[in-house]
Amino acid sequence: KQAAVITVDGPSGSGKGTVCQLLARELGWHLLDSGALYRVTALAARHHGVELDDVEALEVLAAHLDVRFKATDGGDTQIILEGEEVTHAIRNERVGEDASVVAALGPVREALLSRQRDFALAPGLVADGRDMGTVVFPQAGLKIYLDASAEERAQRRYKQLISKEPGASLGDILNDIKARDARDMNRAVAPLKPAPDAVILDSTLMSIKEVLQAVLDEARHRG
Ligand code: C5P
């Protein structure tokens, strides 16, 4: 029997990441952060001097990616690439940009498919990404599409960033978010879009807690 799966797709800054972490914790289920896989692939490309337009080399890199997701005692997840901890290194803006370029390549997505499906273990999986409900887990029992206005998502990113980078500009962040959205939504393979059977939630005016509650209500509603 296949493990139960809840998919949460949506653009960056919609709150997916936090909601998925809380949801997995609440349910006691596994968590797949699929964006981290694309980020790790992009970082591995940098480390190995692979250009982001070298599709064949990127495909090989993705297929043989030596990455581990290691649970810590504190309940967090460490990401280990080729023996080196990259948990924080993959979160910077440049790696995010590179990930979005790498993620537009069909052969790279193919190469990461089985690795993502391996996360679907009992008692269940919360899968966070862009194509979780449409491509990777089309049989999922509950599919959420979490959206928010680009302006609100830029504000959230700005608040996170300003303590670390005092020079951060809201306008620049908004432009980056719009460019990333356009690339993720308009690419030929696995574009960001709601699955036909997804529940669409708009988090623009919702707190994380409210979003979490709404998803839990949907999950209980479906048994
Ligand atoms: O969610 P996160 O910002 O970590 O994802 C980084 C990039 O990886 C996204 O901008 C997107 O281009 C890509 N991605 C994807 N499919 C997924 C998850 C992420 O294409 N399932």
Side-chain angles (χ1 to χ4, degrees):
K1 183 181 173 291
Q2 279 179 325
V5 178
I6 296 178
T7 59
V8 183
D9 291 303
S12 31
S14 59
K16 273 176 316 128
T18 309
V19 166
C20 285
Q21 270 179 17
L22 295 173
L23 188 60
R25 204 166 291 173
E26 175 80 22
L27 298 171
W29 287 13
H30 299 278
L31 174 66
L32 165 61
D33 174 1
S34 61
L37 277 176
Y38 291 97
R39 287 172 180 268
V40 166
T41 304
L43 191 65
R46 286 266 171 197
H47 287 177
H48 292 281
V50 171
E51 298 292 336
L52 297 188
D53 57 1
D54 188 344
V55 183
E56 267 175 47
L58 288 169
E59 180 184 7
V60 172
L61 202 66
H64 298 281
L65 206 59
D66 173 15
V67 62
R68 284 189 302 131
F69 293 84
K70 197 171 130 195
T72 67
D73 294 338
D76 291 329
T77 305
Q78 277 187 344
I79 304 177
I80 321 276
L81 169 63
E82 295 166 9
E84 182 197 343
E85 208 211 313
V86 297
T87 318
H88 301 290
I90 61 165
R91 295 297 158 200
N92 82 42
E93 300 293 313
R94 201 203 62 206
V95 177
E97 275 298 305
D98 287 357
S100 149
V101 173
V102 161
L105 305 171
V108 170
R109 305 196 71 87
E110 265 315 299
L112 294 176
L113 210 48
S114 66
R115 203 185 285 261
Q116 295 177 78
R117 289 183 176 146
D118 287 345
F119 278 79
L121 299 172
L125 174 69
V126 176
D128 166 359
R130 302 291 188 291
D131 62 338
M132 298 296 97
T134 51
V135 176
V136 184
F137 301 108
Q139 84 296 351
L142 173 59
K143 300 177 182 179
I144 303 289
Y145 188 86
L146 190 57
D147 212 343
S149 73
E151 287 72 18
E152 172 64 20
R153 289 183 287 125
Q155 280 285 357
R156 291 174 187 171
R157 178 65 49 90
Y158 180 74
K159 281 184 200 152
Q160 285 174 346
L161 220 60
I162 196 69
S163 56
K164 287 182 291 178
E165 292 176 30
S169 137
L170 183 59
D172 288 351
I173 294 172
L174 181 58
N175 285 337
D176 288 351
I177 281 187
K178 286 183 173 166
R180 178 94 62 92
D181 283 359
R183 187 150 60 221
D184 289 349
M185 289 174 177
N186 298 328
R187 69 187 176 208
V189 280
L192 170 63
K193 63 169 183 216
D197 50 348
V199 176
I200 298 182
L201 289 177
D202 188 321
S203 78
T204 305
L205 301 173
M206 290 170 91
S207 68
I208 289 290
K209 225 175 139 184
E210 287 170 328
V211 174
L212 178 66
Q213 196 51 55
V215 177
L216 282 170
D217 288 347
E218 284 291 341
R220 295 202 173 115
H221 184 72
R222 282 156 205 248

